[in-house]
């Protein structure tokens, strides 16, 4: 009831009898808000309170009210932040190098369950061999996916869903030195 008008349920004077055995405050002008109080029963009051609280929850808080709002628990605030943030692609690493063999590594962001490595290379009719790896709990690197891409300057990617390991990496192999550019990305 803190968000309702102050004079909404204020009784103005003694109770008067209405109907068969019901008592209600007299309808009189409220000296503070110049409004008239209304006769209500408990069901009507509960309904109005529900509508008022739903309307109050739908409205954003003013900066002054937001500063004085009660702090939430850690679990509630983490849930609220997770709901508030939209999922998006995040670039974890982006590098380029002229090489024949390259083995970059990176960490997965907490909560991101989709990982991908996107890469391209340049070379006249050459082929690049790509392996997408993860490190298991025994600290061994395991290959998740493999691909063979032509070095024509077009982006291609290897993606894995339901990623759960901490460390990921990619291996780029070429027969002769070529320029390779890659992006390690996660979604969440």
């Amino acid at each position: 009831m803190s968000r309702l008008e102050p004079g909404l349920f204020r009784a103005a004077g003694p109770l008067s009898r209405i109907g068969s055995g019901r008592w209600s405050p007299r309808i009189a002008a409220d000296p503070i808000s110049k409004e008239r109080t209304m006769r209500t029963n408990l069901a009507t009051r509960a309904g109005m309170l529900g509508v008022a609280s739903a309307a109050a929850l739908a409205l954003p808080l003013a900066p002054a009210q937001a500063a004085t709002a009660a702090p939430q628990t850690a679990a509630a605030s983490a849930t609220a932040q997770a709901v508030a943030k939209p999922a998006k692609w995040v670039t974890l690493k982006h590098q380029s190098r002229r090489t024949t063999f390259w083995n970059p590594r990176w960490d997965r962001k907490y909560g991101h369950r989709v990982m991908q490595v996107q890469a391209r290379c340049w070379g006249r009719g050459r082929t690049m061999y790509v392996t997408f790896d993860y490190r298991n709990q025994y600290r061994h690197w395991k290959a998740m996916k493999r691909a063979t891409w032509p070095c024509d300057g077009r982006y291609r990617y290897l993606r894995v869903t339901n990623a759960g390991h901490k460390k990921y990496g990619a291996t780029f192999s070429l027969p002769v030195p070529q320029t390779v550019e890659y992006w390690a990305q996660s979604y969440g």
Side-chain angles (χ1 to χ4, degrees):
M1 289 182 61
S2 64
R3 294 191 188 267
L4 297 177
E5 290 293 324
L8 190 59
F9 298 115
R10 187 174 295 157
L15 298 176
S16 63
R17 174 171 236 155
I18 57 167
S20 60
R22 291 181 29 207
W23 291 88
S24 174
R26 290 188 186 137
I27 298 176
D30 187 5
I32 296 173
S33 64
K34 304 288 187 207
E35 294 178 5
R36 298 184 64 83
T37 57
M38 52 192 287
R39 291 185 179 135
T40 59
N41 60 18
L42 290 176
T44 308
R45 287 182 190 179
M48 287 189 301
L49 181 61
V51 169
S53 62
L57 290 174
L59 295 175
L61 293 177
Q65 291 173 335
T68 60
Q72 298 176 344
T73 63
S77 64
T79 304
Q81 288 176 356
V83 170
K85 286 185 180 178
K88 62 181 181 176
W89 282 103
V90 176
T91 299
L92 304 173
K93 264 195 179 178
H94 172 223
Q95 294 176 326
S96 105
R97 178 187 294 182
R98 183 172 174 82
T99 184
T100 58
F101 183 81
W102 195 14
N103 199 0
R105 306 294 187 204
W106 61 87
D107 291 340
R108 176 181 64 91
K109 285 187 74 145
Y110 178 77
H112 289 205
R113 301 296 287 183
V114 179
M115 295 286 298
Q116 79 176 13
V117 61
Q118 183 177 8
R120 65 181 175 172
C121 63
W122 294 268
R124 298 173 213 101
R126 305 290 182 197
T127 302
M128 177 172 61
Y129 301 97
V130 182
T131 306
F132 195 19
D133 308 320
Y134 71 94
R135 191 173 77 182
N136 64 11
Q137 70 269 24
Y138 306 112
R139 302 175 81 69
H140 300 293
W141 287 96
K142 301 290 184 180
M144 292 185 294
K145 291 195 175 186
R146 291 188 169 100
T148 304
W149 296 335
C151 290
D152 57 2
R154 290 182 47 202
Y155 303 107
R156 290 172 175 81
Y157 67 89
L158 289 174
R159 180 180 298 167
V160 63
T161 57
N162 202 19
H165 295 279
K166 177 71 175 156
K167 294 274 189 189
Y168 287 87
T171 304
F172 305 107
S173 301
L174 296 125
V176 295
Q178 300 292 332
T179 302
V180 176
E181 183 179 20
Y182 85 94
W183 292 261
Q185 298 174 329
S186 65
Y187 183 80

